[in-house]
Amino acid sequence: MRFVHDTLPQRVHFASGEAAESLTAEIASLGARRVMVIAGAGEREIAERVTSGLPVVHRHDDVVMHVPVEVAERARTAAAAHDADVLVSIGGGSTTGLAKAVALTTGLPIVAVPTTYAGSEATPVWGLTEGSAKTTGTDRKVLPRAIVYDASLTLSLPAALSAASGLNAVAHCVDSLWAPRADPINRALAAEGVRALRTGLPMVVKEPDALPGREQALYGAYLSALAFASAGSGLHHKICHVLGGMFNLPHAATHAVVLPYVLAFNGTAAPEAEERLAEAFGTPSAREGLARLRDQLDAPRALRDLGMPSGGIASAAEAVVAAAPADNPSPVTLPAITDLLRTAWEGAEPR
Ligand code: NAD
């Protein structure tokens, strides 16, 4: 066995119902005195509840998916105007993403309180959009210093959004198994992530108001993000990045639709990944495990239902082939990717 693995420095608090206490402890340990809270309008009430004991100098609710550059600029200006010395982000990946955009240029530390299963809080990856072009990059400055996981804050996330967001997390795990920097550590994290998510997500959809499923799902989402941060983007993430940028599709639902097609495409050429996933799903094959989970979650099935135009398949396929990792288990050819995208667009059986 021979590998090089980076472990990222970050404290993780995990305790349902204790976000306020964990945040107070974290802000004190950072020695911060001027908190800028970033939370979208939908998460305002949650944010006010968990930050009422903090020295807040500004509450910023101007959050937009995929972090348009002008939205990032406004948040940076607000951080400077209020002389903030720490950012507390409370929300999904879009909110964490905005805090990262501020940290990127100001160096301010972030304490992230996630309320979806997107996992951005555990990665040093930032993203900004200008028009229809999304740029991403990696910078240790944007990695939150601490994460506060409180599953009670996810109880309000509707079942359908929870399912899509949870499948986004499953996709982090699956893609990590063949991504460019896959190693034994991130493969182990990914397998445990799949186990936790396939246990927790059906419980969430069945009983959205109960904590045990939410806790399993949030724990699995964290592991999935660690695996993804360490292994990098595999074919699945490259496809979703292209589709999201070209057609402005909803992030989590796009991942949820595309994953079974990439698993079918790569699985037979990656027998070790297939075996590990089957074991984590607790089913005879990985494809069966994912199909069963998707059925239980009533997952979105077709790219056309998300608003992708059929006329976009050819240009998207070309962009995917150009962006795909060179060492993907199955050869990434234009006919193969065109076929994959057409099948995913129709929502037909994965081949
Ligand atoms: P999101 O943050 O846009 O949230 C989706 C919706 O859920 C929003 O309307 C939000 O208000 C609502 N919501 C969030 N928490 C809620 C709660 N507890 N109760 C009720 N409603 C709630 O979506 P997302 O899928 O979490 O994040 C997507 C974004 O994150 C994309 O821009 C994606 O590129 C980015 N992302 C980045 C990374 C990374 O490593 N940098 C990883 C994953 C995702």
Side-chain angles (χ1 to χ4, degrees):
M1 193 182 280
R2 194 159 179 269
F3 62 88
V4 176
H5 176 86
D6 273 330
T7 298
L8 299 173
Q10 195 175 48
R11 181 177 293 128
V12 179
H13 298 250
F14 197 109
S16 297
E18 293 182 21
E21 292 82 349
S22 304
L23 272 174
T24 302
E26 205 47 54
I27 296 303
S29 105
L30 284 169
R33 292 169 193 282
R34 301 184 63 81
V35 177
M36 171 161 154
V37 175
I38 302 182
E43 284 67 65
R44 179 178 300 138
E45 199 206 306
I46 292 177
E48 283 179 0
R49 186 154 36 92
V50 300
T51 58
S52 60
L54 302 182
V56 176
V57 293
H58 177 54
R59 294 186 182 274
H60 197 82
D61 67 2
D62 179 17
V63 175
V64 180
M65 188 164 84
H66 298 320
V67 198
V69 283
E70 58 279 11
V71 172
E73 265 318 308
R74 288 200 290 271
R76 290 165 179 162
T77 304
H82 294 278
D83 197 19
D85 61 3
V86 67
L87 306 167
V88 171
S89 65
I90 302 170
S94 300
T95 309
T96 315
L98 180 58
K100 286 177 163 182
V102 177
L104 185 65
T105 54
T106 61
L108 287 174
I110 302 173
V111 179
V113 187
T115 62
T116 70
Y117 308 124
S120 175
E121 66 279 1
T123 85
V125 179
W126 55 266
L128 285 165
T129 50
E130 195 156 14
S132 64
K134 182 164 181 180
T135 311
T136 58
T138 300
D139 193 316
R140 291 277 178 103
K141 273 206 296 288
V142 310
L143 178 77
R145 298 286 181 87
I147 309 174
V148 171
Y149 284 115
D150 176 343
S152 73
L153 306 182
T154 65
L155 291 173
S156 52
L157 191 65
L161 259 181
S162 301
S165 187
L167 285 166
N168 183 189
V170 174
H172 290 327
C173 298
V174 173
D175 215 28
S176 292
L177 297 178
W178 46 58
R181 297 188 305 277
D183 68 37
I185 308 298
N186 49 47
R187 287 192 181 108
L189 294 166
E192 170 64 0
V194 167
R195 191 209 56 75
L197 289 159
R198 66 103 169 143
T199 307
L201 291 172
M203 293 162 73
V204 167
V205 169
K206 209 166 161 205
E207 263 191 290
D209 299 336
L211 270 179
R214 295 283 185 183
E215 288 183 337
Q216 281 296 310
L218 203 53
Y219 162 66
Y222 168 62
L223 296 179
S224 82
L226 283 184
F228 168 60
S230 163
S233 286
L235 178 64
H236 172 85
H237 279 79
K238 295 294 183 189
I239 292 175
C240 293
H241 183 84
V242 165
L243 297 178
M246 276 187 165
F247 311 112
N248 195 28
L249 305 184
H251 178 82
T254 305
H255 279 265
V257 169
V258 170
L259 186 60
Y261 299 95
V262 178
L263 179 60
F265 181 65
N266 269 351
T268 44
E272 276 181 33
E274 158 68 39
E275 199 178 313
R276 194 177 267 259
L277 284 170
E279 198 182 318
F281 275 116
T283 45
S285 76
R287 283 175 69 171
E288 238 175 290
L290 182 60
R292 185 181 299 177
L293 179 63
R294 288 171 47 79
D295 283 346
Q296 288 170 314
L297 303 183
D298 194 18
R301 303 221 163 249
L303 289 172
R304 66 175 159 199
D305 297 340
L306 304 183
M308 177 177 166
S310 68
I313 291 174
S315 50
E318 276 177 28
V320 168
V321 171
D327 55 356
N328 187 65
S330 283
V332 179
T333 63
L334 191 57
I337 296 301
T338 305
D339 183 59
L340 185 156
L341 290 180
R342 169 142 316 269
T343 331
W345 184 82
E346 291 167 353
E349 196 59 31
R351 294 196 269 263

